[in-house]
Amino acid sequence: MQALYPGSFDPLTLGHLDLIERAAQLFERVVVAVLRNPSKNPCFSVEQRLEQIRAATAHLSNVQAEAFDGLTVACAQRTGAAVILRGLRAMSDFEYELQIAHTNKSLAPQLETLFMATATAHSFLSSSVVKEVARFGGDVGHMVPTEVAEDLARLFNRTSPDQA
Ligand code: ADP
């Protein structure tokens, strides 16, 4: 069975990566789908985000990254996924995620949304928090994969801790 893990991933965090690694054990194939959504004012281009995901998941042979726009259900159907994966960090995520899951079910009844609980150690992480910390020069080494930390350092014109 194949799963689609859709999101903005602007940028990929260790929370996302942990979820992808666990999903890769459960499904034959996991497609990480990066939403093209310019209205969200992303920090990283879709191509950069795909590169970040591909670099961080290079050790997982059944994980692929691709970009999509339009409906998530259409992307799931196109890629042959039977399951849409979403991560839940806290109750605050739940209401929104449940609404999206019901919407997707009404659009494509054969697709299931599966929620995976975030690893406790990463439950405080979000792409926005990471960007905020990096913008003000904080160490994000324990929050994101190495390549992402380097991209953030370049983006905010700082030397990454590894290069200091
Ligand atoms: P979106 O804009 O679609 O919410 P995100 O990139 O923020 O995109 O999140 C993509 C998915 O990853 C969502 O299901 C979200 O709940 C999940 N997620 C976000 N942060 C984490 C984390 N720290 N650990 C695990 N999953 C997460």
Side-chain angles (χ1 to χ4, degrees), residues 22-102:
R22 283 154 57 212
Q25 309 265 331
L26 297 173
F27 295 94
E28 283 162 50
R29 190 167 82 111
V30 177
V31 176
V32 183
V34 177
L35 177 64
R36 284 189 194 278
N37 185 359
S39 69
K40 272 204 167 182
N41 249 334
C43 273
F44 293 106
S45 70
V46 168
E47 286 64 35
Q48 277 177 303
R49 283 178 267 163
L50 288 172
E51 268 175 39
Q52 292 167 351
I53 295 165
R54 286 178 185 141
T57 60
H59 61 297
L60 303 167
S61 58
N62 59 339
V63 173
Q64 268 172 251
E66 58 177 76
F68 80 107
D69 41 28
L71 292 174
T72 305
V73 292
C75 178
Q77 284 162 341
R78 188 171 45 74
T79 56
V83 166
I84 297 173
L85 268 183
R86 295 286 289 175
L88 284 182
R89 285 163 292 189
M91 275 308 285
S92 48
D93 284 339
F94 183 72
E95 220 168 313
Y96 171 75
E97 291 294 342
L98 193 65
Q99 186 186 16
I100 300 292
H102 284 314

